[in-house]
Amino acid sequence: MPVVAANGADSALRRARVARNMTLEEAADALNAITGGASDASLMSAWESGRRRTGKRNRAGLCQLYRERPEVLFAHQDGAEATSVLESSGTAVVVKVLTRWTDLVEAMVDVAAAAREHLVVTGSRSREKAYLAAIETAVAQHPDLLHYRVLYGPPRHRVLADHLLRLLELRDPSARRNGVKTLRIGMVEQVEALERFFVASETAAVAPLPSFHGAEGFDCGVLLGREAAVGLVHHGREACASARPVETIKAVRALPVRHS
């Protein structure tokens, strides 16, 4: 989530990088070599400025990279004065509560279709064809769109695995556009990591919720505005940076699928 730090412009995290004569790109590459993740220069900059809080895995990697204690490197992120936009805006970020499956899917399709800068999708249970098709269309039609897919364990359904293969056919994850990778697919493998479900662009987001109608499924949700959406985009980017890349057709085909 966005944070306001007292002295983020001259944080210890930034000074540690500058002291080693490393660019943001070089520091991101060095961190990824330690964590196996996919951090990039913009995310490193957000951590240094205090606009975003660094996750546990990347904190450990940065401490190793810079040979410094976490209480020093991340003091600008953890200070009592740091206040998130969501904490100050409260429930105003909720645009609408979605209580029907058709409304939920429609809202998720709309978020994907409207994305132009970022499209972050999390979860391993997606199987709604219209929603997955909207993601593929956005990726195909907008080459500058940065798409992040974060899996929590292998795909639960064959339709999601097929979707991942189509994404890899649409874009080469190893290619860069304007110096930036535009497709990242990662899988969080830690057993203790709770699966997250959301789709977020730079302007809106949808988070599915457990059903209001019965014990089965996730057929309700909330439509969120820009402030929450930006926070979820960075949430997903950081989760992807800490995840194991699954970015080849061979790697996707090797994933076990629970339901065909």
Side-chain angles (χ1 to χ4, degrees):
M1 290 184 292
V3 296
V4 179
N7 198 24
D10 190 32
S11 65
L13 189 59
R14 180 181 181 277
R15 293 196 300 271
R17 173 179 59 80
V18 172
R20 287 160 179 77
N21 295 316
M22 301 175 75
T23 65
L24 287 166
E25 291 80 4
E26 290 169 342
D29 289 342
L31 175 62
N32 293 337
I34 293 171
T35 65
S39 301
D40 57 23
S42 65
L43 196 54
M44 296 287 288
S45 177
W47 291 338
E48 289 185 1
S49 69
R51 299 194 308 275
R52 308 293 163 194
R53 293 191 176 101
T54 314
K56 182 178 179 180
R57 182 176 178 181
N58 286 309
R59 284 194 174 206
L62 287 165
C63 288
Q64 180 179 336
L65 175 62
Y66 296 142
R67 297 183 181 180
E68 186 55 88
R69 293 167 295 145
E71 58 266 29
V72 173
L73 289 180
F74 307 108
H76 66 298
Q77 297 181 8
D78 297 338
E81 73 280 1
T83 304
S84 74
V85 171
L86 297 188
E87 289 169 342
S88 60
S89 58
T91 57
V93 298
V94 178
V95 176
K96 184 179 181 181
V97 176
L98 308 164
T99 59
R100 297 189 304 172
W101 169 248
T102 53
D103 293 339
L104 176 63
V105 174
E106 181 179 357
M108 294 168 69
V109 167
D110 288 347
V111 169
R116 295 295 181 270
E117 299 175 11
H118 297 90
L119 179 59
V120 174
V121 182
T122 70
S124 294
R125 302 170 187 267
S126 302
R127 56 176 170 171
E128 174 54 49
K129 293 182 178 180
Y131 169 51
L132 298 177
I135 295 170
E136 294 163 18
T137 298
V139 169
Q141 293 184 349
H142 306 290
D144 290 329
L145 177 68
L146 306 183
H147 180 42
Y148 299 78
R149 179 76 197 213
V150 185
L151 302 169
Y152 286 85
R156 304 304 199 273
H157 303 280
R158 172 55 56 188
V159 66
L160 176 55
D162 292 341
H163 166 71
L164 299 178
L165 292 173
R166 286 193 292 273
L167 291 177
L168 293 172
E169 292 171 354
L170 290 169
R171 288 190 183 179
D172 179 0
S174 65
R176 293 175 180 265
R177 186 174 177 87
N178 301 319
V180 179
K181 288 184 62 170
T182 61
L183 176 62
R184 296 181 186 271
I185 303 174
M187 185 166 70
V188 177
E189 298 179 296
Q190 299 97 315
V191 175
E192 69 275 11
L194 297 177
E195 187 169 4
R196 296 93 191 264
F197 309 98
F198 64 81
V199 53
S201 73
E202 67 277 5
T203 59
V206 173
L209 297 173
S211 175
F212 297 163
H213 312 293
E216 297 296 327
F218 288 76
D219 58 5
C220 300
V222 287
L223 174 62
L224 303 168
R226 183 185 299 271
E227 291 172 343
V230 170
L232 287 175
V233 165
H234 283 274
H235 176 131
R237 290 178 62 193
E238 179 150 331
C240 201
S242 299
R244 175 173 71 83
V246 184
E247 297 183 344
T248 67
I249 289 177
K250 181 179 179 181
V252 171
R253 286 178 173 166
L255 295 174
V257 178
R258 185 173 299 178
H259 304 291
S260 59

